[in-house]
Amino acid sequence: MALPQLIPSHSSSSLTHQPSINPNAPNPSLLNLNFKPFSKSSSLSQSRRFHRLSSFRCSASSFPEKHHTNHPKSDDVVELPLFPLPLVLFPGAILPLQIFEFRYRIMMHTLLHTDLRFGVIYSDAVSGTAEVGCVGEIVKHERLVDDRFFLICKGQERFRVTNIVRTKPYLVAEVNWLEDRPSGDEDLEGLANEVESYMKDVIRLSNRLNGKPEKEAQDLRRNLFPTPFSFFVGSTFEGAPREQQALLELEDTAARLKREKETLRNTLNYLSAASAVKDVFPSSG
């Protein structure tokens, strides 16, 4: 059953499609020549082997309550292997991948003997490759007999590409780290609570329109501070990668939460109108 259409804020009106929002944030769709999603056509033995790895889900509990105390300094410049993908990874989010293209298998062999970290950066045929991405850290992996890899990665620090070091056998760039600037006198807790409230209403109305029980949504924040919560919210905007990329690039927690609040409010208005039409014309649902 389809989830409600995401109605982006005015600042994201350049989106060329009307994507969907997934408040429960299951694993993103993986559509790229460089890797495959796990499909029903996979062998039973592979499915059983990977079952242990696929127990991870992108939920609020995946996101740390605080940033790492050993967070790299924003002016540090390091070299990072990059994996361009048609999706956006947020800090704290969980991403499953199946690696089979030769150059990325080379990358995985290197990473598994070093620090297990690489850069996930959004890329599509229209907008090209973004300059801002998120580090993916390999937390579980399985190497198959044909040298493919099953991976579970978790989003860590954000980065900005400053220089391309090389493009073969895979992309490597110099990057520096991004951190949110102080939000001044903004009431971040209040903004986060408002965003959570809108998310709950979107989930409730979505369930109603889809014929599901209108259960009260669970605690979506789960003790998350505003910044990691803003990343969690962005990770639920599946199907809207350009909007997600815009959220990832913001360096102000308050601005990110406000943009998410506007998007959720627009979506809620759309759902409320659809619900009213369904009440008047039940057969139109």
Side-chain angles (χ1 to χ4, degrees), residues 117-173:
R117 292 156 60 88
F118 61 100
V120 175
I121 195 160
Y122 175 66
S123 180
D124 67 22
V126 176
S127 57
T129 301
E131 293 183 353
V132 172
C134 179
V135 170
E137 182 174 15
I138 301 170
V139 295
K140 284 187 178 290
H141 73 277
E142 182 176 3
R143 180 182 173 186
L144 304 181
V145 293
D146 58 1
D147 209 31
R148 285 180 298 129
F149 288 90
F150 288 153
L151 307 176
I152 296 290
C153 306
K154 185 172 183 178
Q156 301 293 347
E157 301 87 0
R158 291 175 298 158
F159 62 85
R160 184 184 301 277
V161 173
T162 59
N163 183 48
I164 300 298
V165 177
R166 64 176 184 270
T167 59
K168 295 182 179 180
Y170 50 81
L171 189 61
V172 176

Side-chain angles (χ1 to χ4, degrees), residues 17-267:
H17 62 295
Q18 293 185 343
S20 63
I21 177 173
N22 187 344
N24 297 317
N27 298 327
S29 300
L30 307 179
L31 303 175
N32 188 276
L33 295 178
N34 299 327
F35 63 105
K36 291 181 179 178
F38 306 115
S39 64
K40 293 181 180 179
S41 61
S42 300
S43 68
L44 180 60
S45 59
Q46 290 178 0
S47 300
R48 287 173 176 171
R49 281 200 302 270
F50 192 72
H51 178 73
R52 298 185 300 276
L53 305 184
S54 60
S55 59
F56 285 85
R57 290 195 61 175
C58 178
S59 65
S61 60
S62 303
F63 290 70
E65 293 187 8
K66 296 183 179 181
H67 293 298
H68 297 297
T69 56
N70 60 344
H71 197 291
K73 296 179 180 179
S74 59
D75 57 353
D76 288 345
V77 176
V78 300
E79 287 190 8
L80 190 68
L82 299 183
F83 198 167
L85 295 173
L87 53 83
V88 178
L89 177 64
F90 283 85
I94 298 298
L95 176 66
L97 294 174
Q98 180 182 171
I99 308 296
F100 67 93
E101 187 177 339
F102 180 68
R103 57 178 168 165
Y104 292 113
R105 283 188 278 139
I106 294 175
M107 178 195 288
M108 290 306 120
H109 280 287
T110 302
L111 293 176
L112 292 175
H113 288 89
T114 54
D115 65 353
L116 304 177
R117 292 156 60 88
F118 61 100
V120 175
I121 195 160
Y122 175 66
S123 180
D124 67 22
V126 176
S127 57
T129 301
E131 293 183 353
V132 172
C134 179
V135 170
E137 182 174 15
I138 301 170
V139 295
K140 284 187 178 290
H141 73 277
E142 182 176 3
R143 180 182 173 186
L144 304 181
V145 293
D146 58 1
D147 209 31
R148 285 180 298 129
F149 288 90
F150 288 153
L151 307 176
I152 296 290
C153 306
K154 185 172 183 178
Q156 301 293 347
E157 301 87 0
R158 291 175 298 158
F159 62 85
R160 184 184 301 277
V161 173
T162 59
N163 183 48
I164 300 298
V165 177
R166 64 176 184 270
T167 59
K168 295 182 179 180
Y170 50 81
L171 189 61
V172 176
E174 289 183 343
V175 306
N176 56 23
W177 308 111
L178 295 185
E179 291 186 7
D180 278 6
R181 298 183 294 267
S183 297
D185 296 330
E186 294 281 1
D187 180 9
L188 295 182
E189 282 293 330
L191 278 172
N193 289 336
E194 287 183 76
V195 169
E196 181 186 30
S197 178
Y198 276 116
M199 286 188 74
K200 288 181 177 180
D201 288 341
V202 166
I203 294 171
R204 177 180 55 79
L205 274 181
S206 173
N207 287 339
R208 183 174 188 271
L209 287 169
N210 290 325
K212 298 178 182 178
E214 293 185 55
K215 296 181 180 179
E216 182 68 24
Q218 60 182 339
D219 177 13
L220 298 176
R221 282 193 65 182
R222 298 188 181 182
N223 298 319
L224 290 178
F225 287 114
T227 297
F229 178 65
S230 72
F231 292 140
F232 165 67
V233 175
S235 73
T236 69
F237 289 2
E238 289 186 1
R242 296 184 201 171
E243 173 65 10
Q244 288 183 309
Q245 182 65 29
L247 292 170
L248 185 74
E249 293 181 5
L250 289 174
E251 298 178 58
D252 185 314
T253 300
R256 190 179 303 109
L257 287 169
K258 287 177 180 179
R259 182 162 178 157
E260 292 166 344
K261 174 184 171 182
E262 183 177 357
T263 294
L264 289 166
R265 181 170 53 198
N266 292 342
T267 302

